[in-house]
Amino acid sequence: MEKRSNVTHRRAAGHRIGKTNHRDDAYSLVDVCLASSAAPVYRSVAAIEAPGHKGHFDTFIDGGLWANNPILVGLIDSLEVAAPEQPIELYALGTCPRPAGTSITPKEVHRGLREWKFGGEAAVIAIDAQEFTFDHMAKLLAPHLRHDCQVIRFPREAVPAAMMDYLDLDDTRSEATDALIGLARTDADLTNSRCSDPNDPHGLLVQALFESMPELEVGEEK
């Protein structure tokens, strides 16, 4: 689920499923990626032409401002469309976060715009807090629902110390891109390994998820 906030209409905008209104289905993947990566301070606001309304543009910012970890959004969407007592499985595929938290001494508590990096550091702290707490909130809610509900996070390795310099939100260096691709390959290998383990219940659920997907249709090369 991609998250983005529509600044023009002050409403949350995200992909809709099932019996909801599919209002965003006509947007291209490029437009969705531009909207969902328009992080304030770091990126420009995304001006996207409304599908079917030539010349009319909506403006979007990264939905991470209100739900950087969309697990609760997914849970609410699932409850909205699921049949009574239908089992619910929520799969969370995250990025490779830096170790959360920071150390602030008593002498450093008085902070202004410069110390907060003009809002950039405050945004990072807010993102870290959401990623941690929303996972736990979803897992605490799951046992109390009238559904058999499971929250499954895709396996991921701890980020090596040597990679820390490449994980800043505004790092666009080619070395950072290569580092992220390398970490993604490592996590994919870990996921594949756990899917092959008959004693790993979450790994088996991830395997079943992949096997239930329709076969990808590849068009003829021109």
Side-chain angles (χ1 to χ4, degrees):
M1 174 181 290
E2 289 291 343
K3 312 169 301 304
R4 55 202 192 276
S5 294
N6 187 321
V7 182
T8 306
H9 301 296
R10 300 294 195 276
R11 59 178 172 80
H15 181 61
R16 297 294 188 267
I17 58 176
K19 61 185 180 183
T20 49
N21 59 28
H22 299 273
R23 69 182 177 197
D24 300 326
D25 289 1
Y27 285 98
S28 70
L29 180 58
V30 171
D31 288 342
V32 171
C33 290
L34 286 171
S36 65
S37 63
V41 181
Y42 296 101
R43 302 284 185 272
S44 301
V45 173
I48 308 296
E49 187 171 34
H53 300 277
K54 189 173 180 60
H56 175 75
F57 289 81
D58 285 333
T59 50
F60 295 89
I61 55 175
D62 183 3
L65 286 178
W66 69 281
N68 191 64
N69 179 347
I71 192 74
L72 285 178
V73 181
L75 177 57
I76 293 169
D77 239 352
S78 300
L79 292 171
E80 180 70 16
V81 301
E85 300 185 3
Q86 179 182 358
I88 294 174
E89 296 171 359
L90 295 171
Y91 292 87
L93 176 60
T95 54
C96 43
R98 301 171 64 97
T102 185
S103 177
I104 300 176
T105 68
K107 294 181 180 180
E108 298 173 318
V109 296
H110 304 294
R111 294 185 158 207
L113 281 175
R114 185 183 64 180
E115 290 78 15
W116 284 110
K117 297 182 180 177
F118 296 92
E121 191 171 328
V124 171
I125 292 175
I127 288 171
D128 287 342
Q130 286 188 47
E131 288 179 351
F132 176 79
T133 56
F134 279 31
D135 257 3
H136 284 272
M137 290 165 68
K139 290 175 181 178
L140 287 170
L141 279 172
H144 303 286
L145 303 175
R146 295 180 181 177
H147 296 263
D148 177 14
C149 183
Q150 298 190 67
V151 180
I152 304 103
R153 179 163 287 282
F154 272 66
R156 62 185 182 192
E157 290 278 14
V159 178
M163 296 292 182
M164 294 302 166
D165 291 339
Y166 301 114
L167 300 183
D168 287 333
L169 189 61
D170 58 344
D171 197 332
T172 58
R173 293 173 294 167
S174 58
E175 308 96 284
T177 301
D178 292 340
L180 290 174
I181 291 173
L183 290 171
R185 288 193 179 117
T186 299
D187 287 349
D189 289 340
L190 175 62
T191 300
N192 186 53
S193 176
R194 290 188 58 177
C195 287
S196 304
D197 184 354
N199 299 313
D200 188 331
H202 277 194
L204 294 177
L205 284 171
V206 173
Q207 181 185 23
L209 172 69
F210 284 128
E211 290 180 346
S212 68
M213 292 180 179
E215 188 171 336
L216 180 64
E217 296 183 5
V218 181
E220 295 182 3
E221 293 185 5
K222 295 183 179 180

